[in-house]
């Protein structure tokens, strides 16, 4: 059983920081500006296609043949006898490959996702937990989640909620060595094909680091994320400053990386390579239907908008969950990918198609 301590890779004594100390100063507007280069839009499906037809673009005959060849069982019979669900040939799996039972399906689906859809300017990376209480070496325990035990999967989603890339966390290596820089490596691997286009990557405090900000800037990508108070290479006078409600303090380094702290009902710490430390006025309606105005940092406002993509994806999957009891973890995860993630992706594509039609 892997505990949630994996979420703090910087605390590992094996990890040595390669970032040199930097000088932080008052904000002077040294941030870099990247123009978003919109990629050639992939053609959307024809207007007369039904949602099920769009779903078949992801889960097509190639996927079905990989799961269960037609020489063994026809497609119609396969839909009836889901108990025979299998995703790979056991003879081809290495004994040290923990993801061998499911990795072929993940790779094929990810190939289909990326072939049909290209994310816009804003992308978000976060993790989700697939419920699983059975025996499994890399089962995770995260007390803050609704389902406390399960298989952790890192996901990259667009602002519309389309899951574009994913990666299973399978724990320490077979030699017992914990992976250092896990959060940084996950972000780089998932967003590898989306760099150099002027996009903005939104992450939470598990992933945000000074090293990741520098890497993103070098690859013409902005980083916006929340910060933990004990992060390295950050201005301590900002992170440890005592503020009154509504106050904000910020510092900037020579690369244009801004670290700010804003006091709301609790302390909010942010890192941004894109936003200046300015306050903007927001409105919100309460039960009295009277709009209430409030000043918030621009980075916080955009962060809340940018993070909604992955929340929407998880929310839509939860509405009609495909989870069923079973003794095979890879079957449960496979059904979640086929009938959960793929269905939501098909819904997102359908809505984009309808939006373009209405315009």
């Amino acid at each position: 059983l892997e505990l949630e301590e994996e979420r703090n890779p910087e605390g590992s004594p094996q990890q040595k920081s390669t970032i040199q100390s930097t000088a932080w100063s008052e904000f002077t507007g040294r941030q870099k500006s990247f123009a978003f280069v919109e990629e050639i839009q992939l053609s959307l499906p024809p207007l007369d296609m039904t949602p099920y037809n769009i779903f078949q673009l992801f889960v097509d005959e190639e996927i079905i043949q990989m799961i269960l060849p037609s020489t063994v069982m026809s497609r119609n019979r396969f839909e009836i006898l889901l108990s025979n669900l299998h995703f790979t040939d056991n003879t081809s799996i290495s004994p040290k490959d923990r993801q061998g039972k499911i990795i072929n399906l993940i790779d094929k689906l990810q190939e289909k996702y990326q072939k049909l859809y290209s994310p816009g300017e804003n992308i978000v990376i976060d993790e989700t937990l697939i419920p699983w209480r059975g025996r499994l070496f890399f089962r995770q325990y995260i007390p803050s989640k609704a389902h406390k035990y399960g298989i952790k999967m890192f996901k990259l989603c667009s602002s519309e909620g389309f899951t574009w890339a994913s990666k299973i966390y399978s724990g320490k290596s077979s030699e017992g060595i914990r992976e250092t820089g896990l959060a940084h490596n996950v972000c780089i691997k998932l967003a590898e094909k989306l760099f150099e286009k002027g996009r903005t990557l939104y992450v939470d405090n598990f992933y945000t680091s000074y090293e990741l900000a520098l890497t993103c800037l070098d690859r013409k990508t902005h980083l916006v994320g929340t910060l933990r108070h004990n992060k390295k290479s950050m201005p301590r006078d900002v992170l440890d400053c005592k503020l009154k409600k509504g106050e904000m303090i910020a510092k900037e380094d020579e690369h244009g990386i801004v670290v700010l702290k804003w006091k709301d009902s609790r302390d909010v710490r942010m890192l941004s390579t894109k936003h200046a430390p300015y306050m903007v006025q927001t409105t919100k309606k309460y039960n009295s239907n009277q709009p209430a105005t409030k000043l918030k940092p621009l980075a916080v406002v955009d962060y809340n908008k940018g993070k909604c993509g992955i929340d929407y994806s998880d929310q839509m999957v939860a509405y009609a969950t495909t989870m069923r009891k079973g003794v095979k973890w890879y079957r449960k995860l496979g059904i979640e990918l086929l009938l959960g993630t793929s269905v939501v992706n098909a819904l997102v594509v359908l809505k984009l198609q309808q939006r373009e039609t209405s315009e």
Side-chain angles (χ1 to χ4, degrees):
L1 175 64
E2 291 288 327
L3 296 179
E4 180 59 8
E5 62 183 7
E6 295 292 341
R7 288 180 57 90
N8 190 14
E10 292 188 355
S12 173
Q14 300 174 355
Q15 184 179 12
K16 295 182 179 179
S17 176
T18 58
I19 301 298
Q20 297 179 353
S21 59
T22 184
W24 296 88
S25 61
E26 298 296 330
F27 178 75
T28 57
R30 287 174 287 188
Q31 292 176 313
K32 299 179 181 179
S33 177
F34 303 131
F36 173 56
V37 180
E38 189 170 359
E39 300 180 44
I40 299 176
Q41 287 296 324
L42 303 175
S43 57
L44 291 175
L47 297 178
D48 57 348
M49 292 189 70
T50 64
Y52 179 69
N53 296 141
I54 297 177
F55 170 72
Q56 287 181 312
L57 295 177
F58 302 126
V59 186
D60 57 6
E61 289 294 339
E62 183 182 3
I63 298 292
I64 298 299
Q65 289 295 323
M66 183 187 69
I67 298 173
L68 201 60
S70 58
T71 55
V72 177
M73 186 178 297
S74 66
R75 177 172 180 170
N76 291 340
R77 187 162 180 79
F78 162 74
E79 293 176 348
I80 299 174
L81 303 178
L82 287 178
S83 60
N84 291 286
L85 197 60
H86 208 64
F87 304 110
T88 191
D89 182 4
N90 288 338
T91 59
S92 63
I93 301 176
S94 170
K96 295 183 179 180
D97 187 2
R98 296 171 185 161
Q99 302 182 24
K101 291 280 191 179
I102 194 70
I103 193 63
N104 288 340
L105 177 65
I106 294 177
D107 291 342
K108 282 292 183 182
L109 285 175
Q110 189 164 293
E111 179 184 340
K112 303 290 183 183
Y113 298 160
Q114 297 177 5
K115 183 178 179 181
L116 184 67
Y117 179 84
S118 178
E121 182 178 356
N122 298 322
I123 55 178
V124 55
I125 291 178
D126 204 351
E127 74 270 1
T128 186
L129 200 67
I130 311 299
W132 176 258
R133 281 186 170 268
R135 297 178 62 182
L136 186 63
F137 177 81
F138 50 88
R139 184 186 68 171
Q140 294 284 291
Y141 172 64
I142 306 180
S144 60
K145 297 289 186 180
H147 300 279
K148 295 179 174 56
Y149 294 89
I151 303 168
K152 184 160 71 173
M153 175 175 284
F154 301 104
K155 292 170 51 175
L156 184 150
C157 294
S158 69
S159 57
E160 294 84 10
F162 188 97
T163 301
W164 196 81
S166 58
K167 179 182 183 297
I168 296 177
Y169 175 67
S170 55
K172 301 177 184 178
S173 65
S174 57
E175 291 80 16
I177 301 175
R178 179 180 299 173
E179 180 182 358
T180 58
L182 172 64
H184 180 274
N185 295 339
V186 165
C187 291
I188 298 303
K189 182 174 181 178
L190 292 180
E192 182 66 37
K193 299 179 181 179
L194 301 178
F195 287 128
E196 309 291 345
K197 299 292 183 180
R199 288 186 169 89
T200 301
L201 173 62
Y202 293 91
V203 294
D204 66 13
N205 58 24
F206 172 54
Y207 307 91
T208 308
S209 67
Y210 189 74
E211 182 181 8
L212 180 60
L214 291 178
T215 303
C216 289
L217 286 176
D218 290 341
R219 307 191 69 172
K220 297 182 180 179
T221 302
H222 285 297
L223 177 71
V224 180
T226 53
L227 268 178
R228 292 181 178 177
H229 71 280
N230 58 350
K231 281 290 185 178
K232 299 178 181 178
S233 305
M234 298 297 172
R236 302 312 313 173
D237 53 339
V238 172
L239 300 185
D240 298 334
C241 181
K242 301 294 184 181
L243 300 175
K244 296 181 180 179
K245 188 171 183 178
E247 292 182 339
M248 179 181 67
I249 184 174
K251 287 291 180 68
E252 179 191 32
D253 78 340
E254 58 185 357
H255 303 286
I257 301 174
V258 172
V259 173
L260 66 86
K261 182 178 181 180
W262 171 59
K263 179 71 172 182
D264 191 27
S265 55
R266 60 179 181 176
D267 291 334
V268 178
R269 304 173 183 87
M270 298 284 299
L271 179 147
S272 176
T273 64
K274 180 180 182 179
H275 300 92
Y278 298 148
M279 304 287 281
V280 295
Q281 197 170 41
T282 61
T283 58
K284 182 177 180 180
K285 286 188 177 181
Y286 294 94
N287 295 333
S288 61
N289 292 327
Q290 294 294 329
T293 60
K294 187 175 184 179
L295 288 176
K296 293 183 179 180
L298 179 60
V300 173
V301 175
D302 284 353
Y303 175 81
N304 291 335
K305 294 179 181 178
K307 284 281 288 183
C308 66
I310 198 165
D311 295 333
Y312 174 80
S313 176
D314 292 341
Q315 180 183 5
M316 296 305 295
V317 170
Y319 281 153
T321 178
T322 58
M323 292 297 173
R324 299 294 183 270
K325 288 185 178 181
V327 296
K328 301 296 184 182
W329 67 270
Y330 56 87
R331 289 182 185 171
K332 195 168 189 178
L333 182 57
I335 292 177
E336 171 71 12
L337 293 172
L338 291 169
L339 303 181
T341 303
S342 296
V343 170
V344 172
N345 281 358
L347 175 64
V348 171
V349 173
L350 178 66
K351 287 188 174 182
L352 290 174
Q353 179 194 69
Q354 294 173 343
R355 186 187 307 170
E356 287 196 359
T357 304
S358 62
E359 293 176 355

